[in-house]
Amino acid sequence: MTSYSCCLILLLFTWNTAAYGPNQRAQKKGDIILGGLFPIHFGVAAKDQDLKSRPESVECIRYNFRGFRWLQAMIFAIEEINSSPTLLPNMTLGYRIFDTCNTVSKALEATLSFVAQNKIDSLNLDEFCNCSEHIPSTIAVVGATGSGISTAVANLLGLFYIPQVSYASSSRLLSNKNQFKSFLRTIPNDEHQATAMADIIEYFRWNWVGTIAADDDYGRPGIEKFREEAEERDICIDFSELISQYSDEEEIQQVVEVIQNSTARVIVVFSSGPDLEPLIKEIVRRNITGKIWLASEAWASSSLIAMPEFFRVIGSTIGFALKAGQIPGFREFLQKVHPKKSINNGFAKEFWEETFNCYLPDGSKNSPASTSFHKGHEEGLGAGNGTSAFRPPCTGEENITSVETPYLDYTHLRISYNVYLAVYSIAHALQDIYTCTPGKGLFTNGSCADIKKVEAWQVLKHLRHLNFTNNMGEQVDFDEFGDLVGNYSIINWHLSPEDGSVVFEEVGHYNVYAKKGERLFINENKILWGGFSKEVPFSNCSRDCLPGTRKGIIEGEPTCCFECVDCPDGEYSDETDASACDKCPEDYWSNENHTSCIPKQIEFLAWTEPFGIALTLFAVLGIFLTSFVLGVFTKFRNTPIVKATNRELSYLLLFSLLCCFSSSLFFIGEPQNWTCRLRQPAFGISFVLCISCILVKTNRVLLVFEAKIPTSLHRKWWGLNLQFLLVFLCTFVQIVICVIWLYTAPPSSYRNHELEDEIIFITCHEGSLMALGFLIGYTCLLAAICFFFAFKSRKLPENFNEAKFITFSMLIFFIVWISFIPAYASTYGKFVSAVEVIAILAASFGLLACIFFNKVYIILFKPSRNTIEEVRCSTAAHAFKVAARATLRRSNVSRKRSNSLGGSTGSTPSSSISSKSNHEDPFPLAACAERQRQQQRGCKQKVSFGSGTVTLSLSFEEPQKNAMANRNAKRRNSLEAQNSDDSLMRHRALLPLQ
């Protein structure tokens, strides 16, 4: 049974290796075997498997010169390690390298070879079978290239914990250690590359792109990560398509139609060269130019795409390339390749034939399989140069350095260096096993693995804990995901002026170790767009919104498609494509273009503006006129007119008017806290003082004229002390209101931003409108009382209280302040102060003009009227009028009484009253003195009132001559003359006050 199992396994292994003949592998014996997977061909020939006969292995086509160079890098590294005296001394590394043909099926076919050999070794069949050609187990595999292929290989190798170190598979899915337990790589994963692509698009201010990805485990995860990064940066994707090298022509046509009709000029491509090649060929055929291609590292330097005949279409390519490394001696090693010298490399023969477009004449070339193989190349399926049906034989003397081939492009060793680094990583893991000290190992109880019987899982353990310094002095250690963090170079495709080939110009780099925002560096001066232009292409859905505008969303469109909306007043944007406008600070306002904020205009009732100057001039004029009147009254203080107007109260009244005019100046200029607290109390107290003086003055004269007989008590209460006391009490009430106001809610300066957006009105916040109402209300109350007394005193002698002028002044006062209330409530800003100044000035001028201008006119221009006789005449005239009314009234009563008794009439020589129906003017004031003398001699006096004239005769005979004659007359006339005597007594009582 055991012999049977041995023969069965050997048969299976023989079948497995038979599919890979001697010319389809590179193999060398050694103490430890490393496996290798490289894309020596770009693909396999399409073949319809109808299963009418035994299926044959598919044929690999289109030779990949770069893939062969990568294979050579692995062989070079192994030979360099074998010749090293310090690294794995006394140990020899061997290799078994297979061609994946860039397909999963071929890669798995090769991987089964590695796994089958390891399973044979695990059965320990040496004692049963004489296996002289036994090959040791493969303890690690270098490869594969594509992420989709590595995913399939990693799933298989992971079952047996065989370490796999990839040099070009960058899919971020492979970092999942739960699924890919034994996978490691010497290339950064695509997560950083996708982020770098989004950073480049953001750098050039593009926001409207298309995406194309290979339909495999490399393209799909890479483009998905890019979408995530693009969304964070507000980059919109116009279209997203999947491609494959095996897509049919109709699918390719559909993708090209989408690209041609798209307005996006930037196309992000996550794909390998073979998958992208059919699409590029169709784009070239249609001559679709003007696109910017952002290439992932898998095709950024692909020889399949970077061809001069494609340059007019993809000349604006910007791509990512791995950081180039240095491999000393590798150039010479590449140049030494020769089919006869490379006996362990079964791929060298085909490389030679494809490079020189010939065939090597040996027995194998005439075999049917070989003929079929070369026929496929000659039909144009390969990358070789032959297009004829037959190739000439190779001489073997061809010079490899005489031809242009990607194989010898060692100027930027990127993938080749990753292969080199992968081999050295495995070698250093084996070195750690070789130098392990028992008790300090990584295994149970610190034990170490036996280097001569080392197993794959033990090597995997040491790879996970690997830490060494490479030949460039860089630290190499795999992270917890089996990745190496590396940097990217950014390249731009240029057309060489020398030979017209495509060259890769390094224009920047991406440092994944740097802080976010500082990772990307691009030298724009080195970039050529389309091979010649320095101007950065435009790839936005909408044109940039200039400063002063913002992006407005268009319903139903992506966020990158927007309309530019002007910033509203008070907001600004100082950058292009602003998503929102920023609000200006409180004291600032947007300029006309809304690109910046400027200080708001400050407005208040300034001294320098025309309105403020006009109000100031009127206030100064009022102060001047009031001072002039005060000077006139002071100079003519002993004249009857001044005395008759109660000069002490007149002085106080003029002083209060000075205060009223002066208080208006506090409302002009920039409001400060102290001016705000001073102006309303100054205005209120000044006006109350003024109205109080007028009130007391008018009330005093009225009381004097209405008193029956002035007594000493009247004189006491009509004295100056009481007058000033009354003025003080009235003013004190206003002072109390102001003190309470200032204590509870003091006014303050206030910057009002709400009335007009671009203007700051500096005003006074009154603190309490109720207090302001009390202040003005109390003033108006006193004015109303004053108006009442003035109206009541309208028939008194005008020299004493100027009733009609005070009445007019109070009417003006009421009109001004009643108009002030709605005007104050409806205005705003500096006009509030202006309205109040106008009200103060109007009321003050009204009081000054009505009360004092007439007297100043008499004093200065009519001095003849400013005499004691004129004043007495006015008083006497008033007395006679009162007496006449009383006498006439008594006469009418007596006449009615006489008529009722039978009617006897009598007359007395002492007095007689006669009525006339005519209308005569009252006696002139100029003859008042003469008439007074006639009255003393018993003359007759005419007094006009009502609708007629009354002649009043008063006799003043000597008592010695007429005592008896007049006694009876006086008795009869005592009652009739009572009112007349009272009036005369009042006249005599007023004379001392004059």
Side-chain angles (χ1 to χ4, degrees), residues 291-294 311 313-318 492-493 528-531 537:
K291 301 295 183 181
I292 300 103
W293 300 83
L294 194 54
F311 190 80
V313 170
I314 55 174
S316 297
T317 298
I318 290 182
N492 180 223
W493 289 13
L528 292 178
W529 303 101

Side-chain angles (χ1 to χ4, degrees), residues 589-664:
W589 192 250
S590 56
N591 61 0
E592 185 178 356
N593 298 325
H594 300 279
T595 56
S596 63
C597 290
I598 56 177
K600 287 184 177 180
Q601 180 181 348
I602 305 295
E603 279 206 5
F604 52 85
L605 188 60
W607 298 98
T608 55
E609 64 176 288
F611 200 22
I613 293 174
L615 293 177
T616 303
L617 290 177
F618 276 109
V620 172
L621 176 63
I623 294 173
F624 172 76
L625 292 177
T626 306
S627 301
F628 175 76
V629 172
L630 182 60
V632 170
F633 267 56
T634 303
K635 183 176 181 180
F636 296 95
R637 60 185 176 278
N638 294 321
T639 61
I641 289 292
V642 176
K643 287 183 177 181
T645 57
N646 197 338
R647 65 185 173 194
E648 287 78 9
L649 280 180
S650 296
Y651 293 157
L652 187 58
L653 177 58
L654 289 169
F655 171 75
S656 66
L657 285 174
L658 280 174
C659 294
C660 290
F661 284 115
S662 300
S663 67
S664 66

Side-chain angles (χ1 to χ4, degrees), residues 1-13 120 123 125 128-129:
M1 182 64 183
T2 305
S3 300
Y4 175 76
S5 300
C6 175
C7 294
L8 179 61
I9 292 173
L10 288 175
L11 180 63
L12 290 172
F13 178 72
I120 291 174
L123 294 177
L125 300 178
F128 301 102
C129 302

Side-chain angles (χ1 to χ4, degrees), residues 179 834 952:
Q179 184 176 358
L952 176 64

Side-chain angles (χ1 to χ4, degrees), residues 901-914:
L901 295 176
S904 62
T905 62
S907 62
T908 65
S910 302
S911 66
S912 63
I913 300 174
S914 61

